[in-house]
Amino acid sequence: MENQTYITETSDNTMEMIELKIGYEKYGMNVNFVKEMIQTKKVTPIPFTHPYIKGVIDVRGEVYPVIDLGEVFSKKSEPNELEDKFIISEINNQCLCFYVHGISQIHIVTKSDIQPSNEDDSIYVEGIYGNIPIINVEKIISDIQAFNKTAPI
């Protein structure tokens, strides 16, 4: 299957990318996918779900499935309640949450600075900015949904 690119560009050919820590490595995510960032909280496990789904959380009366990006990229980290974060997102009219091990900064990135991912990169990387892989969040969601077609994540 071909690796699709979902990087959102502005009219001046730039995007904002938030730098995340997953395990002990840096990754990037398009800011357009970020609705809000919150401290981690208790996750309620859900049986028989995709391995990337950590469970669900309740945020102000709304229930969000939690996708553990450490599981997605096989990057483990000791829990750290000061650094670990949840990123609340709305993607394709679906609300969900990503669990990351830290958030550091936002980069303004031009398209020419993004290198294509190569075959050694994860299928969930859509490009490389410097030494920071950019996460293809729509591919992650698509694969989770394909795993369990009977229920949205």
Side-chain angles (χ1 to χ4, degrees):
M1 179 185 226
E2 201 172 292
N3 220 8
Q4 296 178 334
T5 300
Y6 297 98
I7 296 173
T8 304
E9 299 172 28
T10 62
S11 59
D12 61 356
N13 206 23
T14 63
M15 72 170 235
E16 291 180 294
M17 180 190 79
I18 188 165
E19 186 178 310
L20 315 169
K21 186 171 85 170
I22 302 171
Y24 299 99
E25 296 182 23
K26 296 177 183 179
Y27 286 82
M29 178 185 286
N30 189 321
V31 169
N32 289 339
F33 295 121
V34 179
K35 187 174 174 183
E36 69 178 298
M37 298 170 279
I38 62 172
Q39 288 298 123
T40 56
K41 56 186 345 189
K42 183 178 176 349
V43 175
T44 303
I46 304 293
F48 310 113
T49 58
H50 192 282
Y52 298 161
I53 304 290
K54 191 174 179 75
V56 295
I57 60 169
D58 180 307
V59 178
R60 296 180 295 280
E62 296 289 325
V63 177
Y64 297 92
V66 177
I67 298 172
D68 185 346
L69 290 179
E71 284 292 327
V72 172
F73 291 102
S74 301
K75 306 290 181 193
K76 299 297 179 187
S77 178
E78 292 297 318
N80 181 334
E81 64 183 52
L82 295 176
E83 289 189 22
D84 292 355
K85 299 284 186 268
F86 286 145
I87 297 175
I88 305 294
S89 296
E90 185 174 344
I91 301 169
N92 299 328
N93 297 317
Q94 187 166 17
C95 293
L96 52 100
C97 174
F98 294 101
Y99 171 57
V100 299
H101 304 125
I103 297 171
S104 61
Q105 61 184 321
I106 293 179
H107 299 270
I108 306 297
V109 179
T110 61
K111 182 179 179 183
S112 62
D113 291 334
I114 298 172
Q115 303 302 311
S117 59
N118 62 51
E119 59 192 42
D120 294 334
D121 295 320
S122 166
I123 61 170
Y124 301 118
V125 171
E126 63 181 324
I128 309 290
Y129 170 69
N131 64 347
I132 303 172
I134 301 171
I135 300 169
N136 187 333
V137 296
E138 290 178 313
K139 172 72 172 139
I140 294 169
I141 293 164
S142 172
D143 285 359
I144 292 170
Q145 288 173 332
F147 176 84
N148 187 5
K149 290 185 180 200
T150 59
I153 60 169

PDB file of all heavy atoms in Angstrom, residues 6 20 31 43-44 46 48 51 56 65 71 94 96 103 135:
ATOM      1  N   TYR A   6      -0.662  13.483   4.403  1.00  0.00           N
ATOM      2  CA  TYR A   6      -1.790  14.279   4.829  1.00  0.00           C
ATOM      3  C   TYR A   6      -1.357  15.614   5.418  1.00  0.00           C
ATOM      4  O   TYR A   6      -2.111  16.251   6.104  1.00  0.00           O
ATOM      5  CB  TYR A   6      -2.615  13.521   5.884  1.00  0.00           C
ATOM      6  CG  TYR A   6      -3.217  12.253   5.347  1.00  0.00           C
ATOM      7  CD1 TYR A   6      -2.609  11.032   5.576  1.00  0.00           C
ATOM      8  CD2 TYR A   6      -4.393  12.279   4.625  1.00  0.00           C
ATOM      9  CE1 TYR A   6      -3.168   9.871   5.094  1.00  0.00           C
ATOM     10  CE2 TYR A   6      -4.958  11.120   4.146  1.00  0.00           C
ATOM     11  CZ  TYR A   6      -4.345   9.916   4.386  1.00  0.00           C
ATOM     12  OH  TYR A   6      -4.898   8.768   3.916  1.00  0.00           O
ATOM     13  N   LEU A  20       6.653  16.310  19.806  1.00  0.00           N
ATOM     14  CA  LEU A  20       6.239  15.411  20.874  1.00  0.00           C
ATOM     15  C   LEU A  20       7.390  14.505  21.282  1.00  0.00           C
ATOM     16  O   LEU A  20       8.316  14.280  20.500  1.00  0.00           O
ATOM     17  CB  LEU A  20       5.103  14.500  20.386  1.00  0.00           C
ATOM     18  CG  LEU A  20       3.969  15.122  19.614  1.00  0.00           C
ATOM     19  CD1 LEU A  20       3.109  14.035  18.999  1.00  0.00           C
ATOM     20  CD2 LEU A  20       3.163  16.010  20.525  1.00  0.00           C
ATOM     21  N   VAL A  31      -0.243  20.590  13.796  1.00  0.00           N
ATOM     22  CA  VAL A  31      -1.034  21.283  14.819  1.00  0.00           C
ATOM     23  C   VAL A  31      -2.525  21.289  14.466  1.00  0.00           C
ATOM     24  O   VAL A  31      -3.368  21.361  15.352  1.00  0.00           O
ATOM     25  CB  VAL A  31      -0.493  22.711  15.046  1.00  0.00           C
ATOM     26  CG1 VAL A  31      -1.424  23.552  15.885  1.00  0.00           C
ATOM     27  CG2 VAL A  31       0.866  22.655  15.706  1.00  0.00           C
ATOM     28  N   VAL A  43      -7.230   6.162  32.820  1.00  0.00           N
ATOM     29  CA  VAL A  43      -7.787   5.602  31.589  1.00  0.00           C
ATOM     30  C   VAL A  43      -8.562   4.343  31.951  1.00  0.00           C
ATOM     31  O   VAL A  43      -8.066   3.487  32.684  1.00  0.00           O
ATOM     32  CB  VAL A  43      -6.670   5.255  30.581  1.00  0.00           C
ATOM     33  CG1 VAL A  43      -7.232   4.570  29.351  1.00  0.00           C
ATOM     34  CG2 VAL A  43      -5.890   6.505  30.198  1.00  0.00           C
ATOM     35  N   THR A  44      -9.781   4.245  31.471  1.00  0.00           N
ATOM     36  CA  THR A  44     -10.595   3.054  31.691  1.00  0.00           C
ATOM     37  C   THR A  44     -10.337   2.084  30.549  1.00  0.00           C
ATOM     38  O   THR A  44     -10.647   2.393  29.385  1.00  0.00           O
ATOM     39  CB  THR A  44     -12.096   3.415  31.730  1.00  0.00           C
ATOM     40  OG1 THR A  44     -12.302   4.391  32.749  1.00  0.00           O
ATOM     41  CG2 THR A  44     -12.943   2.193  31.992  1.00  0.00           C
ATOM     42  N   ILE A  46     -10.676  -0.893  27.878  1.00  0.00           N
ATOM     43  CA  ILE A  46     -11.785  -1.473  27.135  1.00  0.00           C
ATOM     44  C   ILE A  46     -11.291  -2.808  26.560  1.00  0.00           C
ATOM     45  O   ILE A  46     -10.323  -2.823  25.797  1.00  0.00           O
ATOM     46  CB  ILE A  46     -12.241  -0.557  25.969  1.00  0.00           C
ATOM     47  CG1 ILE A  46     -12.615   0.828  26.474  1.00  0.00           C
ATOM     48  CG2 ILE A  46     -13.383  -1.200  25.190  1.00  0.00           C
ATOM     49  CD1 ILE A  46     -13.843   0.873  27.343  1.00  0.00           C
ATOM     50  N   PHE A  48     -11.012  -6.236  24.270  1.00  0.00           N
ATOM     51  CA  PHE A  48     -11.218  -6.638  22.882  1.00  0.00           C
ATOM     52  C   PHE A  48     -11.117  -5.473  21.892  1.00  0.00           C
ATOM     53  O   PHE A  48     -11.856  -5.408  20.922  1.00  0.00           O
ATOM     54  CB  PHE A  48     -12.563  -7.365  22.716  1.00  0.00           C
ATOM     55  CG  PHE A  48     -12.777  -8.458  23.712  1.00  0.00           C
ATOM     56  CD1 PHE A  48     -13.760  -8.344  24.677  1.00  0.00           C
ATOM     57  CD2 PHE A  48     -11.967  -9.585  23.715  1.00  0.00           C
ATOM     58  CE1 PHE A  48     -13.952  -9.335  25.622  1.00  0.00           C
ATOM     59  CE2 PHE A  48     -12.156 -10.594  24.660  1.00  0.00           C
ATOM     60  CZ  PHE A  48     -13.141 -10.466  25.608  1.00  0.00           C
ATOM     61  N   PRO A  51      -4.815  -3.124  19.777  1.00  0.00           N
ATOM     62  CA  PRO A  51      -3.710  -2.988  20.744  1.00  0.00           C
ATOM     63  C   PRO A  51      -3.242  -1.548  20.962  1.00  0.00           C
ATOM     64  O   PRO A  51      -2.667  -1.242  22.003  1.00  0.00           O
ATOM     65  CB  PRO A  51      -2.587  -3.826  20.130  1.00  0.00           C
ATOM     66  CG  PRO A  51      -3.236  -4.729  19.157  1.00  0.00           C
ATOM     67  CD  PRO A  51      -4.500  -4.064  18.706  1.00  0.00           C
ATOM     68  N   VAL A  56     -10.429   4.442  27.419  1.00  0.00           N
ATOM     69  CA  VAL A  56     -11.155   5.694  27.206  1.00  0.00           C
ATOM     70  C   VAL A  56     -10.976   6.596  28.419  1.00  0.00           C
ATOM     71  O   VAL A  56     -10.696   6.136  29.524  1.00  0.00           O
ATOM     72  CB  VAL A  56     -12.669   5.457  26.940  1.00  0.00           C
ATOM     73  CG1 VAL A  56     -12.886   4.700  25.641  1.00  0.00           C
ATOM     74  CG2 VAL A  56     -13.334   4.745  28.103  1.00  0.00           C
ATOM     75  N   PRO A  65     -11.680   7.847  23.093  1.00  0.00           N
ATOM     76  CA  PRO A  65     -10.752   6.721  23.054  1.00  0.00           C
ATOM     77  C   PRO A  65      -9.323   7.263  23.093  1.00  0.00           C
ATOM     78  O   PRO A  65      -9.044   8.326  22.528  1.00  0.00           O
ATOM     79  CB  PRO A  65     -11.058   6.045  21.717  1.00  0.00           C
ATOM     80  CG  PRO A  65     -11.708   7.082  20.885  1.00  0.00           C
ATOM     81  CD  PRO A  65     -12.379   8.044  21.826  1.00  0.00           C
ATOM     82  N   GLU A  71       2.699   2.681  21.929  1.00  0.00           N
ATOM     83  CA  GLU A  71       2.385   1.368  21.352  1.00  0.00           C
ATOM     84  C   GLU A  71       2.522   1.402  19.834  1.00  0.00           C
ATOM     85  O   GLU A  71       3.046   0.471  19.228  1.00  0.00           O
ATOM     86  CB  GLU A  71       0.962   0.936  21.718  1.00  0.00           C
ATOM     87  CG  GLU A  71       0.791   0.454  23.135  1.00  0.00           C
ATOM     88  CD  GLU A  71       1.492  -0.864  23.404  1.00  0.00           C
ATOM     89  OE1 GLU A  71       1.581  -1.720  22.494  1.00  0.00           O
ATOM     90  OE2 GLU A  71       1.964  -1.046  24.536  1.00  0.00           O
ATOM     91  N   GLN A  94     -14.360  12.888  14.076  1.00  0.00           N
ATOM     92  CA  GLN A  94     -14.258  11.908  15.154  1.00  0.00           C
ATOM     93  C   GLN A  94     -13.339  12.452  16.242  1.00  0.00           C
ATOM     94  O   GLN A  94     -12.198  12.842  15.968  1.00  0.00           O
ATOM     95  CB  GLN A  94     -13.706  10.601  14.603  1.00  0.00           C
ATOM     96  CG  GLN A  94     -13.731   9.496  15.604  1.00  0.00           C
ATOM     97  CD  GLN A  94     -13.498   8.156  14.948  1.00  0.00           C
ATOM     98  OE1 GLN A  94     -13.021   8.083  13.827  1.00  0.00           O
ATOM     99  NE2 GLN A  94     -13.833   7.110  15.639  1.00  0.00           N
ATOM    100  N   LEU A  96     -11.013  12.035  19.510  1.00  0.00           N
ATOM    101  CA  LEU A  96     -10.178  11.012  20.123  1.00  0.00           C
ATOM    102  C   LEU A  96      -9.023  11.674  20.841  1.00  0.00           C
ATOM    103  O   LEU A  96      -8.888  12.891  20.830  1.00  0.00           O
ATOM    104  CB  LEU A  96      -9.679  10.023  19.075  1.00  0.00           C
ATOM    105  CG  LEU A  96      -9.005  10.624  17.852  1.00  0.00           C
ATOM    106  CD1 LEU A  96      -7.521  10.557  17.969  1.00  0.00           C
ATOM    107  CD2 LEU A  96      -9.485   9.896  16.625  1.00  0.00           C
ATOM    108  N   ILE A 103       5.543  16.999  25.478  1.00  0.00           N
ATOM    109  CA  ILE A 103       5.333  17.985  24.426  1.00  0.00           C
ATOM    110  C   ILE A 103       6.360  19.079  24.661  1.00  0.00           C
ATOM    111  O   ILE A 103       6.514  19.556  25.782  1.00  0.00           O
ATOM    112  CB  ILE A 103       3.908  18.570  24.487  1.00  0.00           C
ATOM    113  CG1 ILE A 103       2.880  17.472  24.231  1.00  0.00           C
ATOM    114  CG2 ILE A 103       3.745  19.724  23.505  1.00  0.00           C
ATOM    115  CD1 ILE A 103       1.454  17.887  24.477  1.00  0.00           C
ATOM    116  N   ILE A 135       4.198  12.348  12.208  1.00  0.00           N
ATOM    117  CA  ILE A 135       3.221  11.268  12.356  1.00  0.00           C
ATOM    118  C   ILE A 135       2.073  11.432  11.374  1.00  0.00           C
ATOM    119  O   ILE A 135       1.493  12.498  11.240  1.00  0.00           O
ATOM    120  CB  ILE A 135       2.676  11.246  13.805  1.00  0.00           C
ATOM    121  CG1 ILE A 135       3.820  11.023  14.800  1.00  0.00           C
ATOM    122  CG2 ILE A 135       1.593  10.179  13.955  1.00  0.00           C
ATOM    123  CD1 ILE A 135       3.422  11.255  16.238  1.00  0.00           C
TER     124      ILE A 135
END
